[in-house]
Amino acid sequence: MSTVNPKRWWALVVLATAQFMVIMDTSIIGVALPEMQKGLGFSQGELQWVFNAYVIAFGGLLLLGGRLSDLIGARKIFVAGWVVMIAGSVVAAAATTAWVEVAGRGVQGIGGALITPSAMTLLMMLFGHNPKELGKAMAFYGAAAPAGGTAGVFLGGVFTEWLSWPWVFIIYIPIGIATLAATKLLPAVASRRGSVDITGAVAVTAGLALAVFAVVRAPEVGWGSTGTVLQLAGAAALLMLFLVIQKSVREPLMPLGVWRVPRLGSANLAMMLLGAAWIPMWYFLNLYLQQVLGYGAFASGAALLPMTVLLMIFMTMITARLMMKFGSKPLIAGGLFVLAAGLLWLSAIEPTGSFLIDVLPASLVAALGMSLAYIPAMMTAMSGAPQEQAGLASGIVNTTYQVGSALGLAALTALATSQGAGELGNLPALTDGFSSAFIGAAAAAALGGVITLLVMRGEKPAAATGSQPSATQGEQVGEASP
């Protein structure tokens, strides 16, 4: 019989802090992007690489991070992830050129891909013995994700306005060192024998990166140009190679049989399109506030806080209760349609618009849609997986969301640039470009809603059966929060 760790609640604080920081890393840079653009010489189209470099590395290597955690030991990989995260933060903070900055962000993403799956493994080890304690621990851990997103928006504005943009990365250094010092609270995990599918990890990450690069470059060199066609073909070949590898190796990163899990495929499609709609909305809304409405960094961060607060309240207090009553399918589809409505509302922005009329109400509608759809889609992707494949299902759905985010942002940046978003200082042209991006994001969200209605199997609400969500269903809430 395993011994209950007497320091498990303090260990949970360490794990929740890690979750908080990994998610904050996707939101803290948003407000700082215009200042980074000025300081490092990014073009309007290249600026997205500050975000996408992190997302590609994080999403592309999550499955590898989970596998390494299983083989080498979760605490060792957790420590390694923080060492990598700190190193990436140093590079990103010290960057004096655009591509050094992108490289630093990529290293940060690698660190995140090691931290996230190992943290979940450690949490299950600490609390898996007691379902009641596990539920409390999961709620605390899950709340750290929207809290990190909210704090990132606010702190990004504070640091950029009153210090300088490198501070959005410097903050990770002391917190990372403190987290490393506290890892003695975490349980040691013995390593075990097994192989690591490095070739598969390289293939899927390279394929994703090449696809995003091709879409980003297409408006400049032409969609029908030889370069674009070859790059997209190369990306498709690498992703097909990944599938071939997964079918042929003895211990793949993603056993293809997992896709037989009921509703896993439809939930992942919903998550991909959710990421393709939500992340571009966040990105372009921040640019509209600063480049068109003339907000400073702090004011822009403060303007986005109502949206993140609403997300945090709904995700931690309301959405789970609605799932109990209605089931996940109506919430996923309904949330995606509400998100699409908010995005269409945002597309009506004007060069002389105002926050209270053009931004606040529409952004709150969009945030409501996101908060309704995200957790149900995540839990649906997990609910049918057997216990031994729960970690794999989690890694897949997290990867899917990150892939959707990266490809959606690349495609909508290309669309926005073609409609005038590259003309800095030309407010009507910028507004037209951003409006086009919001319309494209709305189309992605609406498509996700339609697919959910047509493809996803329904399920009886837990309230109708008198059951409670299982630990497997609940354990991933908030793991890849926006």
Side-chain angles (χ1 to χ4, degrees), residues 27 42 99 127 131 202 213 245 392:
S27 65
F42 283 102
W99 293 107
F127 296 98
V202 171
F213 180 77
I245 293 170
L392 173 61

Side-chain angles (χ1 to χ4, degrees), residues 2 21 32 40 62 66 78 142 164 173 180 213 230 279 293 299 399 437 457:
S2 60
M21 297 300 290
L40 298 176
L62 268 171
F78 185 83
S164 59
I173 299 171
L180 287 173
F213 180 77
L230 289 177
I279 294 302
L293 298 188
T399 300
R457 297 180 187 175

Side-chain angles (χ1 to χ4, degrees), residues 238-259:
L238 286 167
L239 295 174
M240 288 297 296
L241 175 63
F242 170 71
L243 295 178
V244 171
I245 293 170
Q246 300 316 287
K247 190 174 182 179
S248 60
V249 299
R250 179 176 296 180
E251 297 184 69
L253 287 177
M254 185 183 71
L256 299 183
V258 73
W259 291 100

